């Protein structure tokens, strides 16, 4: 890859047809919302960083990137070709900038490798706050759709309701950053510099910003094209039709909307109309490393402090182990309810998701948990997988892991009033 020249205009870019989007939103009741979304797509979104970078800082890449040189080089090349990243440069065209560590994680659906920019680095550094530390966590909090919402609609419409699901390709990266904030999203690879010009995975504000597009799509589908039941979780959409209605109509309309707005769709992840989707049940878990862990499943829940005899692990393995622990607890508690079912665990730790999907880890203690999870699945005859959910929207389990019961009671649509005591996983 040759060295890039900084000879292009510093302008925001997006594949979305913003004029068509604005036209479709002409009757939207919240004009400030429409203005924010369309201006953001045209000029770039404010990533909500508070304060300025007074001096430059460069952080070392994570081991997951340094140990996969060929993979990272190819991923960077693809990001540049798609226009998500500018580079390579021998030096950055900014006076002050932040170079954050690169990491590699598996995609939440395809299992393919993807780049992660670790914007929470440097950690515990009083002299240099990380990019994420400079973004207000509360300002980026958001509510999200739950499996109970879909179940409630299906129960109302009746047996053999038809379902269609859709997935936006490249998700966050169809949204541009303000050009003035490009210096916040730099990285370095093999002595060359690069920077992101589109929303990055790993940035605290990315889910909140991207969700405005999904909200707009749902509004357009409902108000302009009479789609009666549509739900979304970030880049995933689900339409539900009455058994007497034509699910093909919803599929055709949604695909027309995406095409009209020039929003890329992952066609291989689009499914329907069907009466049953991939997973029978979904549940959410979370772990707070210094407090405890929790899990939520169809109104049932558990919340517990950590056992005193947890194994001592390295820093890299510790969080993956802790996030896996409540998943195993959930299987021990509710596995008997899942015979012949497909179970999806939602987890906000990418490493744990990858471990559950692969079924293996180099860490002995993590493998002990995985063997227990696998044995539980064999005992109760259920299949399982895992997908990543951004931490900022995994609010129910986050509240449980921190014993924030008042906050928890305000979140789920329906829940048991009785705490289920979590069993101790086998050592």
């Amino acid at each position: 890859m040759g060295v890039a020249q900084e000879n292009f205009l510093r302008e925001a870019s997006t594949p979305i047809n913003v004029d068509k989007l604005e036209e479709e939103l002409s009757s939207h009741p919240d004009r400030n919302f429409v203005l924010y979304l369309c201006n953001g797509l045209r000029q770039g979104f404010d990533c909500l960083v508070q304060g300025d970078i007074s001096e430059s800082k460069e952080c070392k890449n994570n081991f997951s990137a340094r140990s996969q040189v060929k993979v990272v080089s190819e991923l960077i090349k693809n990001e540049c070709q798609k226009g998500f990243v500018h580079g390579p440069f021998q030096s950055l065209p900014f006076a002050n900038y932040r170079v954050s560590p690169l990491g590699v994680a598996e995609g939440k659906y395809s299992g393919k490798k993807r780049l992660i920019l670790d914007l929470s680095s440097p950690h515990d550094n009083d002299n240099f706050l990380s990019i994420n530390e400079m973004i207000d966590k509360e300002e980026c909090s958001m509510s999200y759709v739950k499996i109970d919402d879909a179940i409630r609609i299906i129960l109302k419409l009746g047996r053999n309701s038809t379902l269609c699901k859709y997935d936006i390709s490249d998700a966050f990266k169809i949204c541009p950053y303000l050009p003035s904030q490009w210096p916040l999203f730099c990285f370095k690879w093999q002595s060359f510099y690069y920077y992101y010009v589109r929303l990055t995975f790993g940035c605290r504000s990315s889910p909140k910003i991207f969700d405005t597009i999904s909200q707009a799509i749902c509004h357009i589908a409902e108000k302009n094209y009479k789609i009666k039941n549509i739900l979304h979780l970030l880049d995933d959409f689900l339409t539900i039709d009455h058994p007497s209605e034509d699910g093909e109509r919803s599929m055709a309309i949604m695909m027309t909307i995406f095409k009209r707005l020039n929003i890329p769709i992952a066609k291989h992840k689009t499914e329907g109309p069907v009466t049953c989707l991939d997973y029978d049940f979904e549940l959410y878990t979370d772990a707070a490393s210094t407090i405890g862990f929790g899990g939520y499943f169809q109104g049932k829940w558990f919340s517990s402090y950590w056992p005193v005899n947890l194994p001592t692990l390295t820093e890299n393995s510790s969080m993956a182990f802790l996030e896996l622990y409540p998943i195993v607890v959930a299987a021990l508690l509710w596995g008997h309810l899942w015979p012949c079912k497909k179970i999806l665990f939602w987890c906000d730790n990418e490493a744990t998701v990858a471990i559950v999907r692969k079924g293996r880890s180099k860490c002995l203690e993590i493998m002990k948990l995985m063997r227990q999870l696998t044995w539980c699945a064999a005992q109760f005859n259920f299949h399982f997988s895992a997908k990543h959910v951004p931490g900022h929207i995994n609010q129910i389990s986050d509240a449980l892991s921190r014993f924030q019961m008042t906050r928890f009671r305000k979140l789920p649509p329906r829940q048991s009033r009785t705490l289920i005591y979590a069993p101790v996983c086998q050592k």
Side-chain angles (χ1 to χ4, degrees):
M1 185 185 298
V3 178
Q5 300 295 322
E6 182 70 0
N7 57 3
F8 46 80
L9 294 176
R10 294 189 183 180
E11 294 181 349
S13 64
T14 177
I16 297 175
N17 188 326
V18 186
D19 291 339
K20 292 291 185 183
L21 176 64
E22 195 167 35
E23 179 184 327
E24 292 280 9
L25 294 173
S26 60
S27 62
H28 195 288
D30 187 345
R31 301 315 300 168
N32 288 332
F33 171 85
V34 176
L35 190 65
Y36 168 81
L37 175 58
C38 294
N39 283 351
L41 290 170
R42 289 188 175 111
Q43 302 168 16
F45 288 96
D46 180 358
C47 68
L48 305 178
V49 165
Q50 299 175 353
D52 298 319
I53 296 178
S54 57
E55 58 181 300
S56 299
K57 171 71 174 176
E58 297 190 13
C59 298
K60 183 179 180 180
N61 288 324
N62 293 337
F63 178 76
S64 61
R66 290 183 279 114
S67 61
Q68 303 180 75
V69 174
K70 187 175 180 180
V71 169
V72 172
S73 296
E74 188 62 29
L75 289 173
I76 292 174
K77 180 181 177 181
N78 291 338
E79 299 276 86
C80 290
Q81 289 176 344
K82 291 181 177 181
F84 305 155
V85 169
H86 286 176
F89 302 101
Q90 291 181 332
S91 61
L92 285 165
F94 312 121
N96 294 315
Y97 55 84
R98 179 64 60 84
V99 171
S100 296
L102 275 182
V104 176
E106 290 194 9
K108 61 181 180 179
Y109 295 108
S110 65
K112 294 181 180 179
K113 305 283 187 179
R114 68 174 180 180
L115 289 177
I116 298 292
L117 194 59
D118 183 4
L119 296 170
S120 295
S121 182
H123 302 271
D124 302 320
N125 189 323
D126 294 333
N127 296 321
F128 290 93
L129 294 176
S130 71
I131 298 299
N132 279 340
E133 285 177 313
M134 298 168 69
I135 300 174
D136 186 353
K137 186 175 183 179
E138 292 302 317
E139 191 174 358
C140 295
S141 65
M142 51 188 293
S143 59
Y144 60 102
V145 70
K146 295 167 279 291
I147 188 65
D148 287 348
D149 298 318
I151 291 173
R152 189 162 49 245
I153 295 173
I154 293 170
L155 289 174
K156 179 181 177 181
L157 297 180
R159 188 179 180 86
N160 293 323
S161 298
T162 53
L163 315 174
C164 298
K165 68 182 181 75
Y166 323 81
D167 184 286
I168 295 179
S169 180
D170 294 322
F172 297 170
K173 294 173 184 176
I174 63 175
C175 298
Y177 281 124
L178 277 171
S180 62
Q181 294 180 340
W182 291 351
L184 303 175
F185 303 103
C186 306
F187 63 90
K188 189 175 184 180
W189 184 249
Q190 295 184 326
S191 301
F192 289 103
Y193 293 93
Y194 304 79
Y195 56 88
Y196 274 94
V197 297
R198 304 278 183 86
L199 299 192
T200 60
F201 291 103
C203 182
R204 175 170 286 171
S205 58
S206 290
K208 184 77 170 182
I209 295 171
F210 175 82
D211 197 61
T212 57
I213 291 179
S214 296
Q215 291 178 44
I217 292 170
C218 287
H219 173 86
I220 291 167
E222 289 177 331
K223 303 302 181 183
N224 298 3
Y225 297 92
K226 309 305 179 185
I227 297 291
K228 295 179 181 178
N229 302 293
I230 181 169
L231 303 171
H232 82 276
L233 176 61
L234 290 180
D235 56 340
D236 295 314
F237 296 81
L238 175 70
T239 57
I240 308 172
D241 287 293
H242 189 276
S244 65
E245 296 175 346
D246 186 6
E248 292 285 359
R249 174 185 177 275
S250 293
M251 172 64 75
I253 288 175
M254 290 299 296
M255 296 306 289
T256 298
I257 292 172
F258 290 124
K259 183 177 181 180
R260 176 175 170 81
L261 300 179
N262 203 36
I263 294 176
I265 290 296
K267 293 183 179 180
H268 64 288
K269 299 174 186 175
T270 299
E271 184 178 354
V274 295
T275 56
C276 179
L277 289 175
D278 290 345
Y279 297 98
D280 299 299
F281 298 126
E282 301 179 345
L283 61 89
Y284 296 78
T285 60
D286 197 26
S289 60
T290 59
I291 305 174
F293 58 94
Y296 179 82
F297 168 65
Q298 292 191 338
K300 304 178 183 68
W301 56 278
F302 61 84
S303 179
S304 178
Y305 293 105
W306 293 111
V308 296
N309 58 347
L310 285 179
T312 301
L313 301 171
T314 64
E315 182 177 350
N316 288 340
S317 300
S318 177
M319 205 61 222
F321 175 92
L322 295 179
E323 292 282 358
L324 180 59
Y325 195 95
I327 291 177
V328 178
V329 167
L332 292 173
L333 283 174
W334 298 315
H336 67 284
L337 302 174
W338 304 336
C340 302
K341 301 296 184 182
K342 295 180 181 179
I343 311 302
L344 181 63
F345 298 110
W346 287 96
C347 174
D348 59 16
N349 184 278
E350 291 272 5
T352 303
V353 170
I355 289 167
V356 172
R357 291 172 68 98
K358 291 180 180 178
R360 63 182 185 274
S361 170
K362 294 180 180 179
C363 174
L364 177 61
E365 297 298 334
I366 290 177
M367 277 308 300
K368 289 181 180 179
L369 286 181
M370 277 306 305
R371 281 193 289 270
Q372 192 168 10
L373 178 59
T374 303
W375 172 251
C376 191
Q379 181 183 8
F380 296 115
N381 192 26
F382 65 83
H383 297 276
F384 64 87
S385 187
K387 290 184 180 180
H388 178 258
V389 58
H392 310 303
I393 64 173
N394 192 21
Q395 294 189 42
I396 296 177
S397 297
D398 181 75
L400 288 171
S401 70
R402 301 174 188 278
F403 296 92
Q404 297 172 347
M405 293 299 114
T406 300
R407 174 185 166 210
F408 165 67
R409 292 294 184 190
K410 295 178 180 179
L411 291 172
R414 59 186 177 89
Q415 57 193 236
S416 168
R417 290 286 173 180
T418 305
L419 167 66
I420 299 176
Y421 289 96
V424 176
C425 294
Q426 180 180 341
K427 293 190 291 181

